[in-house]
PDB file of all heavy atoms in Angstrom:
ATOM      1  N   VAL B 210      14.922  56.055 -25.339  1.00 98.00           N
ATOM      2  CA  VAL B 210      16.252  55.593 -24.933  1.00 98.00           C
ATOM      3  C   VAL B 210      16.894  54.887 -26.122  1.00 98.00           C
ATOM      4  O   VAL B 210      16.345  53.918 -26.637  1.00 98.00           O
ATOM      5  CB  VAL B 210      16.165  54.632 -23.723  1.00 98.00           C
ATOM      6  CG1 VAL B 210      17.560  54.198 -23.291  1.00 98.00           C
ATOM      7  CG2 VAL B 210      15.420  55.277 -22.570  1.00 98.00           C
ATOM      8  N   GLN B 211      18.015  55.402 -26.583  1.00 97.00           N
ATOM      9  CA  GLN B 211      18.671  54.833 -27.758  1.00 97.00           C
ATOM     10  C   GLN B 211      20.123  54.483 -27.459  1.00 97.00           C
ATOM     11  O   GLN B 211      20.802  55.190 -26.722  1.00 97.00           O
ATOM     12  CB  GLN B 211      18.681  55.856 -28.909  1.00 97.00           C
ATOM     13  CG  GLN B 211      17.313  56.186 -29.453  1.00 97.00           C
ATOM     14  CD  GLN B 211      17.404  57.097 -30.674  1.00 97.00           C
ATOM     15  OE1 GLN B 211      18.435  57.131 -31.356  1.00 97.00           O
ATOM     16  NE2 GLN B 211      16.341  57.840 -30.937  1.00 97.00           N
ATOM     17  N   ARG B 212      20.549  53.388 -28.071  1.00 97.00           N
ATOM     18  CA  ARG B 212      21.974  53.052 -28.007  1.00 97.00           C
ATOM     19  C   ARG B 212      22.691  53.823 -29.105  1.00 97.00           C
ATOM     20  O   ARG B 212      22.398  53.633 -30.295  1.00 97.00           O
ATOM     21  CB  ARG B 212      22.173  51.558 -28.218  1.00 97.00           C
ATOM     22  CG  ARG B 212      23.627  51.194 -28.165  1.00 97.00           C
ATOM     23  CD  ARG B 212      23.869  49.715 -28.342  1.00 97.00           C
ATOM     24  NE  ARG B 212      25.259  49.435 -28.048  1.00 97.00           N
ATOM     25  CZ  ARG B 212      25.780  48.221 -28.064  1.00 97.00           C
ATOM     26  NH1 ARG B 212      25.030  47.180 -28.353  1.00 97.00           N
ATOM     27  NH2 ARG B 212      27.047  48.045 -27.767  1.00 97.00           N
ATOM     28  N   ALA B 213      23.569  54.692 -28.723  1.00 97.00           N
ATOM     29  CA  ALA B 213      24.287  55.483 -29.732  1.00 97.00           C
ATOM     30  C   ALA B 213      25.514  56.116 -29.097  1.00 97.00           C
ATOM     31  O   ALA B 213      25.527  56.452 -27.915  1.00 97.00           O
ATOM     32  CB  ALA B 213      23.379  56.577 -30.290  1.00 97.00           C
ATOM     33  N   GLN B 214      26.524  56.251 -29.909  1.00 96.00           N
ATOM     34  CA  GLN B 214      27.760  56.906 -29.481  1.00 96.00           C
ATOM     35  C   GLN B 214      27.705  58.365 -29.932  1.00 96.00           C
ATOM     36  O   GLN B 214      27.566  58.641 -31.128  1.00 96.00           O
ATOM     37  CB  GLN B 214      28.943  56.192 -30.152  1.00 96.00           C
ATOM     38  CG  GLN B 214      30.278  56.864 -29.973  1.00 96.00           C
ATOM     39  CD  GLN B 214      31.046  56.267 -28.803  1.00 96.00           C
ATOM     40  OE1 GLN B 214      31.038  55.064 -28.596  1.00 96.00           O
ATOM     41  NE2 GLN B 214      31.688  57.127 -28.040  1.00 96.00           N
ATOM     42  N   VAL B 215      27.801  59.272 -28.976  1.00 97.00           N
ATOM     43  CA  VAL B 215      27.753  60.691 -29.329  1.00 97.00           C
ATOM     44  C   VAL B 215      29.107  61.101 -29.904  1.00 97.00           C
ATOM     45  O   VAL B 215      30.149  60.866 -29.288  1.00 97.00           O
ATOM     46  CB  VAL B 215      27.389  61.548 -28.103  1.00 97.00           C
ATOM     47  CG1 VAL B 215      27.499  63.035 -28.432  1.00 97.00           C
ATOM     48  CG2 VAL B 215      25.971  61.212 -27.629  1.00 97.00           C
ATOM     49  N   GLU B 216      29.045  61.717 -31.108  1.00 97.00           N
ATOM     50  CA  GLU B 216      30.297  62.079 -31.796  1.00 97.00           C
ATOM     51  C   GLU B 216      30.587  63.571 -31.740  1.00 97.00           C
ATOM     52  O   GLU B 216      31.726  63.993 -31.937  1.00 97.00           O
ATOM     53  CB  GLU B 216      30.220  61.631 -33.261  1.00 97.00           C
ATOM     54  CG  GLU B 216      30.263  60.116 -33.400  1.00 97.00           C
ATOM     55  CD  GLU B 216      29.334  59.594 -34.493  1.00 97.00           C
ATOM     56  OE1 GLU B 216      28.644  60.409 -35.140  1.00 97.00           O
ATOM     57  OE2 GLU B 216      29.296  58.363 -34.660  1.00 97.00           O
ATOM     58  N   GLY B 217      29.560  64.358 -31.524  1.00 97.00           N
ATOM     59  CA  GLY B 217      29.802  65.793 -31.471  1.00 97.00           C
ATOM     60  C   GLY B 217      28.510  66.564 -31.337  1.00 97.00           C
ATOM     61  O   GLY B 217      27.415  65.985 -31.302  1.00 97.00           O
ATOM     62  N   PHE B 218      28.676  67.878 -31.201  1.00 98.00           N
ATOM     63  CA  PHE B 218      27.535  68.772 -31.057  1.00 98.00           C
ATOM     64  C   PHE B 218      27.675  69.881 -32.090  1.00 98.00           C
ATOM     65  O   PHE B 218      28.776  70.332 -32.376  1.00 98.00           O
ATOM     66  CB  PHE B 218      27.516  69.381 -29.644  1.00 98.00           C
ATOM     67  CG  PHE B 218      27.503  68.348 -28.558  1.00 98.00           C
ATOM     68  CD1 PHE B 218      28.686  67.901 -27.980  1.00 98.00           C
ATOM     69  CD2 PHE B 218      26.300  67.802 -28.118  1.00 98.00           C
ATOM     70  CE1 PHE B 218      28.681  66.942 -26.989  1.00 98.00           C
ATOM     71  CE2 PHE B 218      26.293  66.837 -27.126  1.00 98.00           C
ATOM     72  CZ  PHE B 218      27.488  66.401 -26.558  1.00 98.00           C
ATOM     73  N   GLU B 219      26.565  70.325 -32.637  1.00 98.00           N
ATOM     74  CA  GLU B 219      26.571  71.464 -33.559  1.00 98.00           C
ATOM     75  C   GLU B 219      25.933  72.650 -32.858  1.00 98.00           C
ATOM     76  O   GLU B 219      24.902  72.501 -32.181  1.00 98.00           O
ATOM     77  CB  GLU B 219      25.721  71.138 -34.793  1.00 98.00           C
ATOM     78  CG  GLU B 219      26.166  69.904 -35.522  1.00 98.00           C
ATOM     79  CD  GLU B 219      26.763  70.252 -36.884  1.00 98.00           C
ATOM     80  OE1 GLU B 219      26.172  71.112 -37.572  1.00 98.00           O
ATOM     81  OE2 GLU B 219      27.810  69.674 -37.230  1.00 98.00           O
ATOM     82  N   ALA B 220      26.524  73.807 -33.072  1.00 97.00           N
ATOM     83  CA  ALA B 220      25.966  75.013 -32.463  1.00 97.00           C
ATOM     84  C   ALA B 220      25.398  75.913 -33.553  1.00 97.00           C
ATOM     85  O   ALA B 220      25.795  75.820 -34.721  1.00 97.00           O
ATOM     86  CB  ALA B 220      27.052  75.756 -31.694  1.00 97.00           C
ATOM     87  N   ASP B 221      24.450  76.770 -33.175  1.00 96.00           N
ATOM     88  CA  ASP B 221      23.939  77.744 -34.131  1.00 96.00           C
ATOM     89  C   ASP B 221      24.863  78.967 -34.126  1.00 96.00           C
ATOM     90  O   ASP B 221      25.893  78.984 -33.450  1.00 96.00           O
ATOM     91  CB  ASP B 221      22.483  78.112 -33.822  1.00 96.00           C
ATOM     92  CG  ASP B 221      22.327  78.766 -32.463  1.00 96.00           C
ATOM     93  OD1 ASP B 221      23.332  79.260 -31.895  1.00 96.00           O
ATOM     94  OD2 ASP B 221      21.195  78.793 -31.950  1.00 96.00           O
ATOM     95  N   ALA B 222      24.479  79.974 -34.888  1.00 97.00           N
ATOM     96  CA  ALA B 222      25.349  81.137 -35.061  1.00 97.00           C
ATOM     97  C   ALA B 222      25.662  81.818 -33.737  1.00 97.00           C
ATOM     98  O   ALA B 222      26.753  82.364 -33.538  1.00 97.00           O
ATOM     99  CB  ALA B 222      24.691  82.135 -36.022  1.00 97.00           C
ATOM    100  N   SER B 223      24.718  81.747 -32.787  1.00 96.00           N
ATOM    101  CA  SER B 223      24.929  82.414 -31.498  1.00 96.00           C
ATOM    102  C   SER B 223      25.780  81.569 -30.557  1.00 96.00           C
ATOM    103  O   SER B 223      26.007  81.948 -29.410  1.00 96.00           O
ATOM    104  CB  SER B 223      23.588  82.720 -30.849  1.00 96.00           C
ATOM    105  OG  SER B 223      22.980  81.525 -30.400  1.00 96.00           O
TER     106      SER B 223
END
Side-chain angles (χ1 to χ4, degrees):
Chain B
V210 182
Q211 294 186 23
R212 180 179 190 177
Q214 172 96 40
V215 173
E216 290 142 359
F218 304 93
E219 303 249 317
D221 62 18
S223 71

